[in-house]
Amino acid sequence: MTIEITHTRREGTLIEGTARGDGTAEILKIREYGRTGRQPFRWSRNLGCWYLPHSRDHATHTPSLELLAQRLRDAGFEVTLSVDNADRRSFGEAEQDREERAQERAERFGGYAGTAARNSETARASGREIADRIPFGQPILVGHHSERRARRDQERIDNAMRKSISEHDRAQYWSDRERAAANYERFRKDPGRTLRRLDKLRADLRAVEKWQRGESAKGYPRNPADPELVTEHQELTEEIEHWEQVIKDAEAKGFKVWSKADFQRGDFVRCRGTWYEVLRVNPKSVTIPHIHNGVGQAVVRAEDNRLDGWTWTVPYDDVSGRKSADEMRQTPTTGAA
């Protein structure tokens, strides 16, 4: 049977046509494939084929797949290779799929945690039941006819307690993973992180547009006729629109997007629970007395800068409040935060 290696952004890198024990597994588990060269292929029972982790929604590194195809051919297999980096799903589709998968993981991990917790309690109860049958403080009577049973009971109690502790730790592990998966969407849509993400995406889009014009960007040029640039431009545009809508939704719920226009020198900015006097207003941040001055303080003014004039910059996406100098004078120090 011919082995088919295919890659699209929509489905990722897949390998079909292998069979158990045919010798392909040893080749596919080499960590030299994909964009980073760090992930080996894995077998998926759901897909019924091999897949390359994290290859979906990304362009592939074609030379790596060509190397893989050649290794399989050298091992006596007939191999075909097909790469179509332009076949993709929209960013909205991909993000919705990621959110649904995170929810599925949360439900699955919750089930694992529940099972482990029940096993832990069952083991604990089993050990306790045996221990309750032994008179308090009763030692093992060496040489007595009860010695063998007593030692067996001791071993069973020890094993039960060990299993109870092990299953309790397992339950905690899966509970932590359940919480992480359940918080995926909230983490992804956190406004502060989203604003930082947008800054990077817009910079990436400007670089792509420069390459398309034949200019150098990020320190190197690219071929303006490369079709990959068209796909990258489409992806970045969609992703920026998606996250801009996330920010608009957050603003509708009361989130404030701070900017240079909101501050002037002498105002106070709230950062991580402390108010700092604004020393300078910058395009993407405000300069304040060094944050080490804020340890144990509700308000830090310019004259409170005890660190030889050291300063700190607070990016606007890390700002959580603003007060004018007059408003701060009218605010009791104890309630400033």
Side-chain angles (χ1 to χ4, degrees), residues 122-132 153 156-158 160-161:
T122 299
R124 188 199 67 80
S126 175
R128 186 69 180 178
E129 181 183 359
I130 299 171
D132 287 345
D153 286 345
R156 290 170 63 192
I157 293 171
D158 183 66
M161 292 300 102

Side-chain angles (χ1 to χ4, degrees), residues 49-299:
C49 65
W50 293 87
Y51 74 101
L52 187 64
H54 311 300
S55 61
R56 202 174 185 190
D57 300 314
H58 297 290
T60 189
H61 185 236
T62 304
S64 293
L65 295 186
E66 291 174 342
L67 172 63
L68 169 61
Q70 187 57 51
R71 283 178 172 167
L72 290 170
R73 293 186 185 109
D74 292 343
F77 298 98
E78 184 177 343
V79 182
T80 63
L81 173 61
S82 173
V83 175
D84 184 359
N85 283 317
D87 182 7
R88 66 184 189 89
R89 53 184 180 171
S90 70
F91 180 81
E93 290 177 305
E95 190 65 13
Q96 181 178 358
D97 179 61
R98 284 189 282 267
E99 291 174 4
E100 291 174 354
R101 287 175 178 267
Q103 184 59 39
E104 291 173 358
R105 288 197 302 273
E107 294 175 358
R108 187 168 68 254
F109 296 159
Y112 296 162
T115 299
R118 289 191 295 273
N119 291 342
S120 175
E121 179 58 26
T122 299
R124 188 199 67 80
S126 175
R128 186 69 180 178
E129 181 183 359
I130 299 171
D132 287 345
R133 295 200 302 262
I134 302 174
F136 182 75
Q138 174 68 56
I140 295 177
L141 303 177
V142 179
H144 191 266
H145 66 82
S146 64
E147 178 184 358
R148 180 178 298 179
R149 184 179 64 184
R151 293 194 183 280
R152 185 172 62 247
D153 286 345
Q154 185 182 55
E155 182 178 1
R156 290 170 63 192
I157 293 171
D158 183 66
N159 290 338
M161 292 300 102
R162 289 179 184 276
K163 181 176 181 180
S164 178
I165 294 170
S166 174
E167 290 296 319
H168 178 272
D169 291 344
R170 190 189 305 275
Q172 185 63 53
Y173 168 79
W174 287 117
S175 293
D176 291 343
R177 293 200 62 179
E178 178 192 10
R179 283 193 293 272
N183 290 333
Y184 172 84
E185 183 176 359
R186 184 165 62 87
F187 178 85
R188 287 280 285 178
K189 292 184 178 180
D190 174 77
R193 292 187 179 90
T194 301
L195 288 172
R196 291 190 288 274
R197 187 182 298 118
L198 278 169
D199 285 343
K200 180 182 183 304
L201 291 171
R202 288 165 180 154
D204 290 342
L205 181 60
R206 289 193 295 271
V208 169
E209 290 173 343
K210 283 186 176 182
W211 286 322
Q212 288 180 314
R213 294 194 299 266
E215 303 173 11
S216 179
K218 297 186 176 182
Y220 60 94
R222 289 178 63 178
N223 181 3
D226 185 355
E228 179 64 20
L229 289 175
V230 176
T231 303
E232 290 179 14
H233 192 282
Q234 292 172 343
E235 288 181 326
L236 287 167
T237 301
E238 289 179 5
E239 189 169 358
I240 289 171
E241 290 175 352
H242 175 87
W243 295 120
E244 286 178 340
Q245 185 60 50
V246 168
I247 292 298
K248 289 179 181 178
D249 293 342
E251 287 182 300
K253 296 177 181 178
F255 176 75
K256 168 65 177 175
V257 178
W258 300 97
S259 68
K260 180 180 180 180
D262 295 308
F263 294 93
Q264 62 181 8
R265 183 175 179 177
D267 286 346
F268 284 79
V269 61
R270 190 168 189 261
C271 174
R272 304 175 190 180
T274 301
W275 290 95
Y276 296 89
E277 185 172 348
V278 175
L279 306 178
R280 185 168 57 253
V281 180
N282 312 306
K284 294 187 176 182
S285 65
V286 291
T287 301
I288 62 172
H290 200 281
I291 58 172
H292 287 173
N293 293 287
V295 177
Q297 303 295 317
V299 180

Side-chain angles (χ1 to χ4, degrees), residues 8-60:
T8 64
R9 271 181 164 87
R10 182 179 299 277
E11 300 295 340
T13 305
L14 305 177
I15 299 180
E16 299 177 286
T18 64
R20 182 185 293 272
D22 63 1
T24 55
E26 290 74 11
I27 299 174
L28 297 177
K29 290 181 180 180
I30 298 175
R31 295 174 178 267
E32 293 183 10
Y33 312 122
R35 297 184 307 137
T36 64
R38 298 177 182 174
Q39 287 283 351
F41 280 85
R42 295 180 183 173
W43 175 261
S44 169
R45 287 180 292 178
N46 292 333
L47 298 174
C49 65
W50 293 87
Y51 74 101
L52 187 64
H54 311 300
S55 61
R56 202 174 185 190
D57 300 314
H58 297 290
T60 189

